[in-house]
Amino acid sequence: SGTMVRLVRFSEGGAVRVGAQLGDGGDIADVTKADPSIPNDMVALLSTADGIAKVKAAIDAAPKVPKDQATLLAPLVRPEKVICIGMNYVDHCTEQNMPVPTEPVVFSKFASTITDPGAPIIKPPEVGELDFEVELAIVIGKQAKRVTEANAMDYVAGYTVAHDVSARDWQLKRNGGQWLMGKTFDTFAPIGPAIVTTDEIGDIHNKGIRCRLNGETVQDSNTNQLVFNVNKIVEWCSAMITLQPGDLILTGTPPGVGCFRKPPLWLKDGDVVEVEIDGIGCISNPVKDEK
């Protein structure tokens, strides 16, 4: 069809399915209707050797769901792992007066953090210092153990946009200095709007990446600022951890986050945060106090 293939999960008429969105913001090819052998679960689809090829082959014959009749959801849920890389933009290290890491800084979020585009980021009463972080997320496409930098891309299915919502008080002042709790409250990982496949994305290491808070740009950088690029990250993580299809690796955030501003800028009830990467798209999530 010549249109960029964007793997999505969507709801329409009360049912949730995987599909192929025809361009950013476009209608959705309802591929599981055309080919029932395509698994109706993104992790299962990615775990199928020819899953993405089947999706592409089914696009032309698939019924099309108009974009205004479909609601885009997180493109995948329940991955085995959500791995995160910290301090991975040169300009983000500079804003903290921190040295650029000589090896990747790895932490994690639980998969239960994943939430949909448009869904509220819930601010619990335990959190005082809620912060925003736009990130490029790698989506693993096949089992990877000790892969090399040179062949790492063979194991990457594609990319999505992630918001690594962070409770700085819990990340930095509580929980014994461990980052996990500050990163892993429910709803702290909106992802979407789609997974753009590796063969369609172009140069992933030259993409504009930005975050807007209530319409104002608060982060604005480029993936050419990554300290460890996608290949290096996959090599590093797969040396120690077997990566599985559907696993997400969030690759770090550029500068501009709220905690390093003077005075600090914390998210509050009623705020709207948009995170965006050129060639993938934009997701928007409101912040709501937990009721």
Side-chain angles (χ1 to χ4, degrees):
S1 58
T3 312
M4 179 182 282
V5 176
R6 301 166 56 83
L7 302 173
V8 294
R9 278 176 71 246
F10 69 101
S11 63
E12 181 258 344
V16 174
R17 333 196 254 293
V18 298
Q21 188 184 33
L22 306 175
D24 190 7
D27 296 340
I28 296 167
D30 206 349
V31 293
T32 58
K33 295 266 177 75
D35 180 356
S37 76
I38 296 171
N40 191 23
D41 173 88
M42 192 66 75
V43 175
L45 189 159
L46 295 170
S47 303
T48 306
D50 56 351
I52 293 174
K54 279 186 168 183
V55 169
K56 291 188 176 186
I59 287 174
D60 288 341
K64 307 304 186 284
V65 178
K67 58 187 175 194
D68 56 1
Q69 290 174 25
T71 302
L72 288 182
L73 305 174
L76 62 79
V77 288
R78 293 183 295 279
E80 184 181 280
K81 295 183 283 297
V82 180
I83 297 171
C84 306
I85 309 297
M87 308 284 297
N88 199 37
Y89 278 74
V90 174
D91 43 10
H92 180 52
C93 298
T94 310
E95 78 172 340
Q96 301 176 58
N97 298 311
M98 292 287 280
V100 175
T102 55
E103 58 187 33
V105 175
V106 180
F107 63 99
S108 74
K109 295 166 89 84
F110 294 139
S112 50
T113 53
I114 292 175
T115 195
D116 300 320
I121 294 162
I122 302 297
K123 180 181 182 290
E126 292 84 359
V127 171
E129 301 181 347
L130 190 64
D131 206 351
F132 49 85
E133 293 194 356
V134 58
E135 310 219 356
L136 169 72
I138 301 166
V139 182
I140 296 299
K142 62 182 181 188
Q143 184 175 301
K145 179 67 178 179
R146 292 205 178 275
V147 305
T148 63
E149 184 182 350
N151 69 0
M153 284 297 179
D154 297 341
Y155 297 85
V156 176
Y159 305 91
T160 194
V161 183
H163 185 176
D164 181 13
V165 183
S166 303
R168 300 297 186 194
D169 39 359
W170 284 90
Q171 180 190 357
L172 303 172
K173 303 171 189 171
R174 306 278 297 270
N175 202 44
Q178 297 291 322
W179 285 9
L180 177 73
M181 283 309 300
K183 296 288 191 171
T184 212
F185 285 86
D186 289 349
T187 74
F188 276 22
I191 61 170
I195 297 166
V196 177
T197 53
T198 309
D199 58 324
E200 305 254 8
I201 192 71
D203 181 6
I204 194 58
H205 299 117
N206 189 25
K207 299 289 182 195
I209 177 169
R210 61 196 71 82
C211 176
R212 289 181 292 274
L213 173 57
N214 302 325
E216 297 286 321
T217 300
V218 286
Q219 294 184 276
D220 191 357
S221 188
N222 189 290
T223 58
N224 63 21
Q225 291 288 306
L226 285 168
V227 179
F228 301 101
N229 69 15
V230 171
N231 307 63
K232 284 264 194 204
I233 289 167
V234 171
E235 179 184 58
W236 178 265
C237 292
S238 73
M240 291 166 274
I241 305 164
T242 302
L243 303 175
Q244 298 293 351
D247 282 356
L248 293 174
I249 308 178
L250 278 57
T251 58
T253 199
V257 294
C259 63
F260 297 119
R261 292 172 177 264
K262 304 277 189 285
L265 177 59
W266 306 124
L267 298 176
K268 62 189 185 306
D269 184 82
D271 283 347
V272 176
V273 189
E274 297 167 275
V275 288
E276 178 179 61
I277 298 173
D278 293 342
I280 304 174
C282 180
I283 61 172
S284 175
N285 296 84
V287 178
K288 300 279 185 222
D289 285 338
E290 185 180 320
K291 291 293 180 268

